[in-house]
Amino acid sequence: MTHYFRIAVNLPQAVDEYDYHLPQELEHLKLAPGALVLVPFGPQIAQGVILEEIAQSTIPETKPILEVIDPTAVITPQLIRLARVMSSDKINPFSQWLSLFLPNGIVQRSDWKYEITTSPMKTQLTPTQKKIINLLSQKGPLTKKKLERLLLNRDWERSLQQLVRQRMVKAQPILNPPSVNPPYRRQVYLAMPAHEIEHFVAAHAIRPSQAWERRKRALLFLAQEGKAVQPSWIYAESGANVADLKKLAELGAIRIQRELVWRDPLAGKVIETEEFFELTAEQQSNWHVIQGALHRAWEGELVKPILLYGITGSGKTELYLRAVAETIENGRQAIVLVPEISLTAQTVRRFQARFGSKVGLQHSRLSPGEQLDTWQRVRAGLISIVIGPRSALFMPFPKPGLVVIDECHDDSYYQDSQPNYHTANLACKYMEIAGGICLFGSATPSVEQFYRAKKGEWQYLHLPKRIISQQKSSLSETGSSGIFSNVGVNPSGEKEGELPEVYVVDMRAEIRNGNRSIFSRVLQSRLRQTLISGQQAILFLNRRGMATYVFCRDCGAVVKCPRCNIALTYHQSGSGEKTNDTLICHRCGYRRQMPKRCPQCGSDTIRQFGVGTEKVEAEIKKLFPQARCLRWDFDTTRAKGAHEAILNKFNDHQADILIGTQMLAKGLDLPLVTLVGIVLAEVGLNLPDYRAAERTFQLLTQVAGRAGRGLLKGEVILQTYQPDHYVIKTAAAQEYEAFYQQEIELRRSIQYPPFTQIVRLEYRHTDLQKVEAETRRMANEVQAWLDNELIQSIRLVGPLPCFYQRISGFHRWQIILIGEAPQRFLQNRRLGNGWRSEINPISLL
């Protein structure tokens, strides 16, 4: 009897589900839903995911499954259901959601290989076609992926297809192999009792030789170790070589075999175990609610997500730890999401101290092998807890019971590539399906999240007081000198901390009083006191580089990126005569040397304007040459492990001042930091985006919250040119609810989320005229749809150019739909090639 299966094919153009049959030679295999197979699809071969077995196909002649890669589920039934739910609510097809859940290490990407068939007349070709022919002539056959890299910022695909149709270029479908190999390594076992080694050597060494001396030492080393050993160890200890081990194996003295060894990024890390801390009265009250919600969800009740709103340093992490412990004690698994890779090291330490080897780590800075092995260990049931940024949500746990999202307001939880999603919303759907709960935590939840909690759509919990944990209390014995004025004792005997004092400095007054420095006089004074006291400081500026832009003082021309049309940022590396002045585009990575003359008028009066983190670091070294500084931004954390190395160095008090960008606002716990200096508070505040105020308030409040988290009193110096702005005032007062009230009323008046929903349609192309024409055509078509269906609950804005009009050589225009569920209105309407859609995007820039 023929077995039929419905399969989702992992190709962009395969938007439906397709029927295949299992050929006779594979009928002995039992395929589970979620199994991974190879199938033909048109001229290509592609990976597919088994969705279900069906009794009979409606297709007269089905194609056969070519190969079974893995007969067990690589995507769990819960994740398959999640993909179905998301594809029904969204514009993106079901197969696109499924591909999101496949780990890169096992994915085989279908591609095309191109090669020249004839020598075409190059004079009849377009410039792009000439470039393609030249590349194929010089480099030989190239894949589509390689051509994409070589022809960056060109609209090359149409030109290539014309060459294929004219039979000047031959196209052949290929399937790339998986990017990661299994983690096998050779191990050597002693295959005889230790006391027989002397007799064995005497029996086989006919006469004394150096070779048998080496082999004897190798056998004695194995006997001494008493366990399997890698060959390299044996070579190092005994002087033996590959030939020696091969000979000993032939004689039966040793056994060499390949064994699976997990690539674990946490292996070898020594973490001191930690007991659960005693909860404060507020924590205990909130824990009672969380614990009850967990058990109700596991018993089958649909439980609302929980928003844990707590000021910075209020003990939210301790409640996460309790919830995770409760989850794994009840036979379920937990996912803990953090917004930044920089936070994973600190979070992992806390969780490893409680749960040891049950903790796994997943993020993009790990090697592909480490990422795949974490996924495989989850699948094998060897890990109960995974910590990481948003991609960790898709780990194949069999019974996930809890998703914790720390700093749930953070923009990094939003994926703007297709399929785009908000992690919090996706997690809620996932836990509905899996029978678990979502626990969200933040001192500055998004306006939409707080609105949902206030309306009762989410459960609302509050931690209003700072606390000093037992862990931080121990610093009083070994910490810096000073008065521990940050501690109060409540009637229950619990240690309570205070929020730092925030001082707003009007930089306009500083300039009027003759201070041209980027640091106000009060910030300089506080930095000096902090250094004298042996304490630590943070300086925050959400802008990288030495200067914001470079311009000509004669004609005013700004040096811009030729691909993105935005100002290049000035960076300086090296020192003395070896200084290297470079201009870098922070959008696409374009680089050039600092010009000596203006490209427009030829003047030599080229100057830098503005300030970035490199400039802050340079100025601090001038003011306080004895201070030990660390800079923490994207430029200093490119290497693997850089985040953890910088954080460990600062935690161990090997530096006095930490200078950085928004990474510093991501929930770091640094007990010795007593001073935070915000160099320029309004960076990003005046961008033409409806979330600019919210984003600025969150950054300022979160950065301020890094001060005074230990026993030492903290203070924040907030420098600004807009001291009267409501964002600056509420952030300085650390009054989230005051900010929320103003912001929610503004959103209500302009009818923006959470009172409406937004769909953003963006079109990109290298030809500006084509971009403008296509977006106008689409806007007219969408307006006609609205008019024909008499829809008045959705308004159309645009077409109009994006704020960042060009990125990586592509011009960008957009159409915005605002109103009641505009994504449902667009569902099943094909937008055409080149269009991308976003639902409730975090930015309209």
Side-chain angles (χ1 to χ4, degrees), residues 1 35 44 296 350 444 468 476 480 502 615 650 654 775:
M1 180 179 122
Q44 293 180 273
R296 291 199 311 278
R350 291 289 308 272
T444 54
I468 307 296
S476 62
S480 308
V502 181
K615 180 71 171 178
F650 195 65
Q654 296 177 42
T775 49

Side-chain angles (χ1 to χ4, degrees), residues 277-291 319 322 463 494:
F277 297 151
E278 184 180 345
L279 298 179
T280 65
E282 286 84 4
Q283 284 177 313
Q284 186 64 54
S285 174
N286 286 321
W287 169 236
H288 180 72
V289 175
I290 295 168
Q291 188 179 36
L319 294 183
R322 298 270 176 143
L463 288 172
E494 298 153 346

Side-chain angles (χ1 to χ4, degrees), residues 56-86:
Q56 189 66 42
S57 174
T58 56
I59 309 298
E61 285 191 33
T62 56
K63 292 183 179 180
I65 293 171
L66 301 178
E67 182 183 334
V68 176
I69 299 171
D70 194 325
T72 59
V74 296
I75 300 180
T76 65
Q78 296 101 316
L79 286 172
I80 291 176
R81 284 182 60 194
L82 178 63
R84 286 201 187 280
V85 170
M86 298 309 293

Side-chain angles (χ1 to χ4, degrees), residues 298-319:
W298 301 335
E299 290 164 6
E301 184 181 329
L302 186 60
V303 177
K304 294 176 182 178
I306 298 171
L307 175 63
L308 179 60
Y309 162 54
I311 65 170
T312 55
S314 58
K316 295 183 290 291
T317 302
E318 187 62 33
L319 294 183

